Amino acid sequence: MNKYFSTKMSIFVFATPALLLFTVFCVYPLVPEIWMSLQKHNGFQSLGFVGLDNYKAIFASSSFWTAHKNTYLIVGISLLLGIPLSMTLALFMEIQTPRLRRFFKSAAMFPAILSVTVVAQIWLAFYEPNWGLFNSILRAIGMDSWTHSWLTEKNTVMLSIGLTFLWQYIGLNAMLFYTGIKTIPKSYYEAALIDGANFAQVCMRITIPLLQNIIKYVLILSTLGSMAFYSHVRVMTAGGPGDKSRTVIYQMYYTAFDTSEFGKGTAIAVVFILECLLISFLIQRFVARDKLEF
């Protein structure tokens, strides 16, 4: 009994400073934002308490739902394409010679360390409708009908920006998976090879199951990072054409700073925070619940 209480007390003592810092710098700043979301506010002063009117207004706005559709499209691209491709790249690096492995590790990290502005400008050149890389390739192979003005057509703009985002961060996730692979004991692989398992069986029965904690971390990182998607949109399209490439964060910025409706902007921020907390809870609750011990 004394051991039980001493352990609990130790946890409390060591966790208290971190909890205080989290409360001061993360929880407390939300209080004035929630209060502002209940007011008509121009960024300098309150113009009156309006209750839930700001929330009713944003939920009635088509731009708000367009922003959500675009945001979750980016999340879908990151999860359904990004994570499998990152895992494949990590497994590919693992089977290379040390020299090639160093090359691929450097190449994988290079896009992630570049500024978003630099990456966006590179891909703006790729998407340029007249002389850009993609349309030039399509014309060269006789597929002129497939050419597009990629960033000014509503049917292609979000997929184009999503591809840019995917390219920039796929290598970072691959390195996280690769780091996890290196922690798996070699004896597991040696036993599998003795039993006659091939590469695919080793990946499906050993590597991927034992990476569940890393997969969970990458899942959270990719999901929340995709939901906070803003910079690429700002540089590449500024939310256009119209509002067709706005994300939730961009819609929040536009509402608060471009239209000076800070009450509605903070209401969008509050809704966004609640969504992120809910998604984080669901991932923590249902993904990789079993504790692994090697």
Side-chain angles (χ1 to χ4, degrees), residues 17-59:
L19 182 61
L20 288 175
L21 289 173
F22 178 78
T23 302
V24 171
F25 291 104
C26 295
V27 177
Y28 174 73
L30 295 178
V31 176
E33 299 304 317
I34 294 173
W35 176 244
M36 184 184 291
S37 72
L38 302 175
Q39 304 174 60
K40 185 176 181 180
H41 207 289
N42 62 8
F44 296 99
Q45 62 180 348
S46 173
L47 303 179
F49 181 81
V50 296
L52 297 177
D53 287 353
N54 287 329
Y55 291 92
K56 294 177 182 177
I58 63 172
F59 287 134

Side-chain angles (χ1 to χ4, degrees), residues 18 56 61 67 90 95 113 121 155 251 256 259 269:
K56 294 177 182 177
S61 170
I95 63 174
I113 64 177
Q121 291 298 328
N155 293 327
Q251 182 66 22
T259 67

Side-chain angles (χ1 to χ4, degrees), residues 74-267:
I74 298 298
V75 172
I77 291 174
S78 296
L79 300 187
L80 300 180
L81 289 179
I83 290 182
L85 288 174
S86 297
M87 178 67 75
T88 302
L89 180 57
L91 294 171
F92 175 75
M93 287 192 293
E94 173 62 14
I95 63 174
Q96 300 305 307
T97 63
R99 186 172 182 178
L100 282 176
R101 191 179 299 132
R102 287 194 296 270
F103 168 77
F104 284 115
K105 287 162 67 175
S106 300
M109 285 301 298
F110 180 71
I113 64 177
L114 290 176
S115 165
V116 171
T117 302
V118 173
V119 171
Q121 291 298 328
I122 293 172
W123 283 79
L124 279 171
F126 289 166
Y127 289 130
E128 210 284 328
N130 297 314
W131 48 263
L133 177 66
F134 295 140
N135 282 351
S136 296
I137 292 175
L138 291 172
R139 293 191 188 99
I141 61 178
M143 300 179 65
D144 295 55
S145 60
W146 286 66
T147 61
H148 290 278
S149 181
W150 301 97
L151 296 175
T152 58
E153 297 179 14
K154 65 178 183 179
N155 293 327
T156 60
V157 61
M158 284 310 301
L159 291 175
S160 300
I161 301 175
L163 181 60
T164 305
F165 181 77
L166 182 67
W167 175 82
Q168 183 168 13
Y169 294 110
I170 190 172
L172 175 61
N173 289 342
M175 289 305 301
L176 292 173
F177 285 133
Y178 176 77
T179 303
I181 291 173
K182 300 304 289 184
T183 65
I184 299 175
K186 295 296 183 183
S187 58
Y188 291 8
Y189 295 109
E190 294 169 356
L193 292 175
I194 292 173
D195 290 338
N198 57 36
F199 177 74
Q201 291 172 326
V202 169
C203 292
M204 297 303 297
R205 300 294 180 87
I206 297 177
T207 305
I208 294 178
L210 293 179
L211 284 178
Q212 61 172 299
N213 289 330
I214 300 295
I215 293 173
K216 181 178 183 178
Y217 173 75
V218 172
L219 187 62
I220 294 174
L221 190 69
S222 298
T223 302
L224 299 185
S226 300
M227 290 189 69
F229 189 68
Y230 168 81
S231 301
H232 296 77
V233 174
R234 181 66 180 174
V235 177
M236 298 180 75
T237 64
D243 63 353
K244 299 304 180 183
S245 65
R246 293 181 193 170
T247 59
V248 175
I249 294 295
Y250 193 96
Q251 182 66 22
M252 178 187 69
Y253 170 87
Y254 175 83
T255 302
F257 292 96
D258 288 1
T259 67
S260 296
E261 295 183 291
F262 280 79
K264 292 180 182 179
T266 51

